[in-house]
Amino acid sequence: MPGDDARVRGHLHDCAPCAAEAQRLRETVRLLDEPAPGGTGRGAGRKANAGMARGRLMAAARAARPGQGAPAPHAEPYAGAVACLDALLRELDREPARWGTPVVHDWDVQGTVAHLVAADEVLAERLGLAPVTEAGTGLGPVPGAGPEGDFGDVGTGPGGRACTAGPTAGAGAPWELRWTARTHEVVAYEHTRPPAETREAWRTQAHGLLALPEAGDGQLAAMATTLMGLRLPIADHYVIRAFETWVHTRDIGRALGRTVPPPPPVHLQRFLGLAVRILDLALGPDARPVLLSVEGEAGGDWVLGSDAEPIAAELVLEATDFLLLLGGRQDPDEIARGQAGDAAAAQRLLETATSLAWL
């Protein structure tokens, strides 16, 4: 309408939040218009670059949708973890050289964020978001493709720490090998770009996940899907994404000498509840039962293992220690614990928890 342009410009002059959002959308439009970088990556030329940009545009549009509500309880831990990592990465605007700081495995800060791009991609593509990285997909279908997903055909649970695969793992290989290869591919590609672009790719995808209907509707999120060898409700996959984001935020914080606080108790409760369920499945119904008591405001008591015999052992752990054990950041011998009863049954629980780590 005549005069709208002037009114919008006047509003943007006085409203900082709207001005920031307008600038972000202008950047998305710029991405749609810029030429492709050398004709390599996920398809050559302008078509591939436009495909990536459209994915960013759709995620940005969802995130900017008027009336976008707060995430449902199952997605709140992921929203909190994303906000925490985003704040930590923004500190690097003043120290850009620190993007190269070694963090974990063979990743620096940029590589760790690129790993999260690949990790979040599994759920994002299952839920219909377009890719945010131009990293090639010579591995066959991407993680979320197909009715159960390219990474959903093995039911033994996470165990990727033991996998050693390069970027040539075929589409028929076990999901752990293909996942390791996909991570390698995305990390290698993102290291060809400025760190700020890697951060923006991660942020765009994360906010796209939080803007999806499944993040705000518990009924939609109750639908089960198999990802990374685990058939769980979509709500639980959001919790897994939150847990991994928190673990890697903690990794980056430690590498940079920054203290990353633990998640609030209500989020820790969701981590613990899901972790205990997965651990119980991994132990199996024939394991000697162990009473696991997790201390703290977020804690609780659970009996894991067989329900056909008396409790054989008791373990008392602190919440963060237990979660870091599951995240591969603690060893059983390193964590403080109270223990009574059958030492072998208690040790089996601890070693099974460690075997689930794939972060």
Side-chain angles (χ1 to χ4, degrees), residues 189-279:
Y189 172 75
E190 290 299 326
H191 271 125
T192 69
R193 306 209 295 163
E197 292 185 16
T198 300
R199 180 180 71 183
E200 184 58 24
W202 164 77
R203 186 179 183 276
T204 296
Q205 184 168 253
H207 282 269
L209 279 168
L210 289 168
L212 290 172
E214 289 85 352
D217 187 325
Q219 287 186 321
L220 283 176
M223 182 180 69
T225 189
T226 304
L227 298 172
M228 301 300 199
L230 289 171
R231 184 164 184 81
L232 295 168
I234 290 170
D236 287 341
H237 287 297
Y238 269 95
V239 176
I240 290 172
R241 301 306 332 122
F243 177 64
E244 182 168 3
T245 302
W246 166 62
V247 169
H248 286 308
T249 301
R250 183 178 179 274
D251 292 338
I252 293 171
R254 288 166 64 89
L256 297 176
R258 304 285 197 275
T259 300
V260 174
V266 66
H267 296 176
L268 284 175
Q269 287 171 350
R270 287 197 169 265
F271 291 169
L272 288 167
L274 179 57
V276 167
R277 282 165 35 216
I278 293 174
L279 178 56

Side-chain angles (χ1 to χ4, degrees), residues 3-303:
D4 281 353
D5 188 54
R7 282 195 293 272
V8 169
R9 284 201 303 269
H11 176 74
L12 293 178
H13 182 270
D14 297 327
C15 179
C18 287
E21 183 60 30
Q23 180 57 40
R24 190 160 69 87
L25 292 175
R26 288 191 197 101
E27 174 63 14
T28 303
V29 172
R30 183 188 67 77
L31 286 169
L32 281 169
D33 291 336
E34 68 183 9
T40 60
R42 186 194 296 272
R46 187 180 184 86
K47 180 178 178 181
N49 196 63
M52 179 187 69
R54 279 196 296 272
R56 292 185 177 189
L57 179 61
M58 291 304 297
R62 288 188 178 102
R65 188 168 51 202
Q68 180 68 34
H74 68 268
E76 286 178 353
Y78 183 59
V82 167
C84 185
L85 178 55
D86 198 26
L88 180 61
L89 296 179
R90 288 185 184 280
E91 294 186 19
L92 298 182
D93 290 344
R94 299 189 296 272
E95 302 176 275
R98 302 203 70 188
W99 278 96
T101 303
V103 177
V104 66
H105 308 314
D106 59 348
W107 304 326
D108 56 10
V109 176
Q110 185 177 10
T112 305
V113 176
H115 163 72
L116 285 173
V117 171
D120 285 349
E121 178 185 71
V122 180
L123 179 59
E125 294 200 352
R126 172 60 54 79
L127 298 181
L129 288 179
V132 293
T133 176
E134 279 193 295
T137 53
L139 312 178
V142 290
E148 285 303 336
D150 202 30
F151 284 58
D153 54 0
V154 177
T156 56
R161 287 204 308 171
C163 295
T164 54
T168 58
W175 75 261
E176 295 99 331
L177 294 178
R178 286 177 283 124
W179 160 238
T180 302
R182 179 59 179 162
T183 297
H184 177 91
E185 183 178 55
V186 174
V187 170
Y189 172 75
E190 290 299 326
H191 271 125
T192 69
R193 306 209 295 163
E197 292 185 16
T198 300
R199 180 180 71 183
E200 184 58 24
W202 164 77
R203 186 179 183 276
T204 296
Q205 184 168 253
H207 282 269
L209 279 168
L210 289 168
L212 290 172
E214 289 85 352
D217 187 325
Q219 287 186 321
L220 283 176
M223 182 180 69
T225 189
T226 304
L227 298 172
M228 301 300 199
L230 289 171
R231 184 164 184 81
L232 295 168
I234 290 170
D236 287 341
H237 287 297
Y238 269 95
V239 176
I240 290 172
R241 301 306 332 122
F243 177 64
E244 182 168 3
T245 302
W246 166 62
V247 169
H248 286 308
T249 301
R250 183 178 179 274
D251 292 338
I252 293 171
R254 288 166 64 89
L256 297 176
R258 304 285 197 275
T259 300
V260 174
V266 66
H267 296 176
L268 284 175
Q269 287 171 350
R270 287 197 169 265
F271 291 169
L272 288 167
L274 179 57
V276 167
R277 282 165 35 216
I278 293 174
L279 178 56
D280 197 29
L281 287 172
L283 282 168
D286 298 327
R288 299 204 68 193
V290 176
L291 172 62
L292 174 65
S293 296
V294 179
E295 294 184 319
E297 187 178 348
D301 298 319
W302 297 270
V303 177

